[in-house]
Amino acid sequence: MVGCENMKSTDHIIIFFTQNARKIDMADIANHGTAELKMIEIPAGKQSADIHIGSYLGYLAGRSKCSVVIISHDTDFDNVIKFWRKELGISVSRKHKIQVKTTQKQSQPQSSAVSTKESQIRSLFGQTFKKSPYIEKKEAIISALLKSKDKQSLNSELTKTIPSSNIPAIYKTFKDFIKNLPSAPSKTSVKTDNKKREAQFRSEYGKHFKNGVYKEKREQIISILVNSTTKQQVNSELCKIIPGENVSKIIKQFQPLLQNLPQ
């Protein structure tokens, strides 16, 4: 099982199980707070769980900067953990069980304020939204409302979660929580996001495009991928410097990083 500490709505618990081991001690996950809980069935086999958890850890390491805790008594994971810590500085550890950290209201008034805001949002959500697609995406929507630092990022997160036609109802219901959000991210935030985005493109590019026109046009291609504001612009600018078949390969490879761009 791969999980994260501080069980909040922005955290995730992922349990891997097989047909041969379907029973799980619910005491281990009973106090997971508002964290998302997900069950993934994998094929039974020798070290199947170890292999799947290891591959999922690699997926998480390349996708985000989240902290990961592997819940297992198996010490074989320790070597994998040492590797990720040493090579990429990934925050990963192993524990025997999920441990939820508790805080005292007197010592952390800021946490108390966050908790109050979350409880108010959850209460309002429960009163207002009782049908699809809101009820199925409840945790993702609440997480977006709590984490988004501006209206642009909130809209982006909601668009990835529910159909755009359902978003106005969210804005109407939670207008008191949204009205104080800035319309766009700060310049500092944009610069930080751009640097992170460029690093992701460079990392993927170095893995998959090493020869020929890809090597010759490397910097131009990366600049287009990082700075384009629409998918059409990406395609148009790439077509100016490399053949169409090469453009298709690049767009396909970088689809996960380009998917949030408007058409």
Side-chain angles (χ1 to χ4, degrees):
M1 177 170 67
V2 176
C4 297
E5 291 183 310
N6 298 329
M7 299 292 102
K8 297 178 292 187
S9 60
T10 53
D11 296 323
H12 308 272
I13 300 173
I14 303 171
I15 300 176
F16 291 90
F17 70 95
T18 70
Q19 286 287 344
N20 295 341
R22 300 182 66 88
K23 293 182 179 180
I24 296 172
D25 187 353
M26 295 307 293
D28 287 341
I29 59 173
N31 297 318
H32 61 78
T34 57
E36 178 190 47
L37 183 60
K38 184 177 181 180
M39 311 284 285
I40 300 178
E41 183 175 355
I42 57 178
K46 186 177 181 181
Q47 296 188 333
S48 177
D50 294 4
I51 294 171
H52 281 80
I53 291 174
S55 64
Y56 197 82
L57 175 59
Y59 162 75
L60 291 176
R63 186 170 182 261
S64 67
K65 292 290 185 181
C66 68
S67 296
V68 179
V69 181
I70 298 176
I71 309 300
S72 174
H73 290 274
D74 191 345
T75 57
D76 287 344
F77 284 115
D78 294 345
N79 287 329
V80 176
I81 290 170
K82 288 178 183 178
F83 168 80
W84 281 110
R85 283 178 174 174
K86 180 179 178 181
E87 296 299 321
L88 292 177
I90 302 299
S91 176
V92 57
S93 60
R94 181 178 66 86
K95 295 183 181 296
H96 291 173
K97 64 170 62 176
I98 293 177
Q99 296 177 342
V100 182
K101 295 180 180 179
T102 58
T103 58
Q104 295 182 352
K105 292 183 179 179
Q106 293 87 345
S107 61
Q108 295 193 15
Q110 185 175 359
S111 296
S112 176
V114 172
S115 178
T116 300
K117 179 181 177 181
E118 181 174 346
S119 64
Q120 290 173 339
I121 288 176
R122 287 186 174 279
S123 175
L124 193 54
F125 193 102
Q127 296 171 26
T128 311
F129 300 109
K130 303 179 187 296
K131 297 181 180 180
S132 179
Y134 306 105
I135 198 67
E136 293 89 350
K137 301 295 183 178
K138 175 180 178 179
E139 294 304 325
I141 294 171
I142 291 175
S143 176
L145 289 166
L146 290 171
K147 293 195 312 180
S148 297
K149 307 227 186 294
D150 55 76
K151 292 174 183 175
Q152 183 176 321
S153 61
L154 173 61
N155 188 73
S156 176
E157 288 301 312
L158 290 176
T159 300
K160 290 188 288 185
T161 304
I162 58 176
S164 57
S165 58
N166 298 104
I167 293 177
I170 297 290
Y171 276 86
K172 181 179 179 180
T173 301
F174 297 102
K175 60 183 180 181
D176 289 337
F177 295 95
I178 298 172
K179 64 182 180 182
N180 294 325
L181 289 177
S183 297
S186 65
K187 291 182 179 180
T188 301
S189 175
V190 170
K191 288 181 179 179
T192 301
D193 289 345
N194 283 347
K195 286 183 179 180
K196 180 180 178 181
R197 182 174 169 80
E198 182 176 346
Q200 291 174 320
F201 275 116
R202 287 187 177 279
S203 176
E204 285 299 306
Y205 197 97
K207 294 176 185 176
H208 302 285
F209 302 103
K210 300 179 180 180
N211 301 312
V213 67
Y214 301 113
K215 182 178 180 180
E216 297 166 9
K217 303 288 185 178
R218 173 189 171 95
E219 292 306 318
Q220 289 175 269
I221 293 171
I222 291 176
S223 178
I224 292 170
L225 291 170
V226 173
N227 297 311
S228 294
T229 56
T230 66
K231 293 176 182 176
Q232 182 177 346
Q233 184 181 2
V234 172
N235 187 76
S236 175
E237 293 299 317
L238 288 177
C239 285
K240 293 178 183 178
I241 62 172
I242 57 176
E245 63 269 20
N246 300 105
V247 172
S248 298
K249 290 180 181 179
I250 288 175
I251 291 177
K252 181 179 180 180
Q253 183 61 46
F254 290 105
Q255 183 60 34
L257 292 173
L258 298 172
Q259 63 181 352
N260 291 331
L261 291 180
Q263 294 293 336

